[in-house]
Amino acid sequence: MKIRYYYQFKRWVEQKKIQRRLNIFMVVWIILIAVVSIRMLKIDYPKILGIFMQEGLVNFLPTPTSTPAPTPTPDFKKEIITLTNNERRKIGLNSLTENKLLDEVAREKANDLINKNYWAHFPPNETEEYAWKFIKNSGYNYLYAGENLGKGFFDTNSQMSAWMASDEHKKNILDEHFTEIGVYAGKGVLQGENTIIMVQEFGTPQSDNYQGSAYQNQDLSINQIKSYRNDTVTVMNNWISARSRFPTDKIDQLVDSFNRQIAFSNQIISDYEKNGRFSNDNLSLWQAVIKMGNESSQLTNELNLR
């Protein structure tokens, strides 16, 4: 009798073990089905909203699908400027003139968005003043300035339509105060998304942008610019070598200014060698170089006095 009860009890224990294993198997199976279902939902319902910001106002506009972003062509910039001026002419406003300094500002802003991986006019850990540092550092002396950002639009007509559908972006495009524009369209990875970024920089220069010595100076020569560039490279390398003896932020500020002066000088030299003369854009860039050179000289004097 005891032996029979023992075997009955043993069978009951084995049945319980089997049932427990079946229960575990069912739970695992349910979890696997749930994971697969969630992934299928993500595929069926992609993200369809993105953020455009203008002076703190958040606007929601369509973002791209999973289609790979094409590489923008040089025509993107020309098309954006043409479409902008078309909108302005519709209401009787003056057309905006392309300014090479503002083009450079737009390029630097796009690169900053990609390099620091943020989508706004300034990073989360910065203030609104950061949004204007690129135009201030460029040497463009402005009375009025504005900025439009766009991403995820693979053609210029779609991008312009989106800007015009947003009151704040449209306000920049149709602002009667602006006289000049700079545009950049580039491809990059922003917040994990391979996309196209378009930047519009608007400006109205102070009168000295057009009356300054660079515009009056008929003695400006290509050799003078080459000499200035070479001297700037030498001075920059000296300061880089002395980095350890001075505050890092000040040296970084200096090097950044030197690099911009060198880049602008190279642009002027390249244009001159291609065209055989200085254009108004070249003279504007040279004036910005001199302004930045004066500012960097003041900073080097301050550091030498420490």
Side-chain angles (χ1 to χ4, degrees):
M1 180 70 70
K2 289 183 180 179
I3 294 174
R4 188 177 65 190
Y5 284 146
Y6 170 77
Y7 283 111
Q8 288 178 344
F9 176 75
K10 186 175 181 181
R11 281 197 301 273
W12 179 80
V13 170
E14 291 296 331
Q15 289 172 353
K16 288 295 183 182
K17 288 181 178 178
I18 293 171
Q19 184 65 43
R20 188 161 56 247
R21 289 170 185 164
L22 286 173
N23 290 341
I24 293 172
F25 175 78
M26 289 300 295
V27 169
V28 172
W29 181 248
I30 291 171
I31 291 173
L32 287 173
I33 292 174
V35 169
V36 171
S37 298
I38 290 171
R39 289 184 177 178
M40 290 179 66
L41 284 172
K42 286 183 178 180
I43 294 172
D44 292 339
Y45 300 97
K47 182 177 66 174
I48 59 171
L49 292 179
I51 298 176
F52 281 77
M53 297 188 69
Q54 174 62 33
E55 295 300 314
L57 181 67
V58 179
N59 301 301
F60 292 93
L61 297 172
T63 62
T65 63
S66 57
T67 305
T71 300
T73 68
D75 290 337
F76 272 54
K77 179 170 72 172
K78 296 177 183 177
E79 291 171 6
I80 286 290
I81 294 174
T82 298
L83 291 170
T84 298
N85 284 331
N86 287 346
E87 295 294 340
R88 292 175 67 86
R89 281 194 292 269
K90 287 178 184 179
I91 60 171
L93 292 176
N94 62 295
S95 294
L96 302 178
T97 303
E98 182 183 2
N99 181 284
K100 295 296 185 182
L101 281 178
L102 292 180
D103 284 341
E104 178 65 15
V105 171
R107 186 190 68 80
E108 288 190 0
K109 182 56 178 280
N111 288 338
D112 196 65
L113 290 169
I114 293 170
N115 293 336
K116 295 186 178 177
N117 198 36
Y118 68 97
W119 181 235
H121 286 283
F122 52 91
N125 60 335
E126 299 286 353
T127 64
E128 187 176 341
E129 182 67 20
Y130 185 95
W132 306 110
K133 81 167 191 171
F134 301 101
I135 192 168
K136 288 179 177 177
N137 290 344
S138 74
Y140 184 93
N141 295 322
Y142 63 89
L143 289 175
Y144 302 98
E147 177 181 89
N148 281 347
L149 306 178
K151 75 178 176 74
F153 294 90
F154 296 169
D155 67 272
T156 53
N157 284 305
S158 298
Q159 177 65 84
M160 182 57 65
S161 295
W163 277 332
M164 291 300 292
S166 162
D167 289 341
E168 293 300 317
H169 298 82
K170 180 179 179 179
K171 189 182 298 181
N172 272 341
I173 291 169
L174 301 181
D175 194 314
E176 63 182 8
H177 295 101
F178 294 140
T179 59
E180 297 182 333
I181 186 173
V183 174
Y184 178 79
K187 181 180 177 180
V189 177
L190 181 62
Q191 296 179 338
E193 182 177 57
N194 194 333
T195 188
I196 286 179
I197 296 172
M198 295 194 200
V199 181
Q200 283 181 314
E201 296 291 342
F202 302 91
T204 302
Q206 296 178 9
S207 58
D208 65 357
N209 263 41
Y210 293 97
Q211 303 301 325
S213 60
Y215 283 89
Q216 308 299 322
N217 189 352
Q218 302 299 319
D219 298 326
L220 182 63
S221 70
I222 193 67
N223 288 333
Q224 177 185 349
I225 295 172
K226 288 180 177 179
S227 177
Y228 182 92
R229 178 200 57 189
N230 295 339
D231 289 344
T232 303
V233 171
T234 300
V235 172
M236 179 180 70
N237 289 334
N238 289 339
W239 279 100
I240 291 175
S241 300
R243 177 186 291 273
S244 61
R245 303 203 306 269
F246 298 95
T248 301
D249 59 331
K250 296 296 183 183
I251 296 298
D252 288 343
Q253 183 180 340
L254 261 182
V255 171
D256 183 57
S257 176
F258 288 143
N259 277 324
R260 288 199 307 277
Q261 292 173 56
I262 294 165
F264 287 177
S265 297
N266 284 335
Q267 180 65 55
I268 297 169
I269 293 167
S270 175
D271 290 347
Y272 184 87
E273 291 176 345
K274 184 187 302 180
N275 303 318
R277 62 182 180 84
F278 296 116
S279 66
N280 284 340
D281 283 337
N282 295 149
L283 296 175
S284 178
L285 285 175
W286 181 243
Q287 185 177 8
V289 169
I290 296 305
K291 181 177 183 294
M292 287 187 287
N294 291 335
E295 291 172 350
S296 58
S297 293
Q298 291 177 1
L299 182 54
T300 57
N301 289 335
E302 292 174 9
L303 291 173
N304 284 324
L305 291 173
R306 287 174 177 268

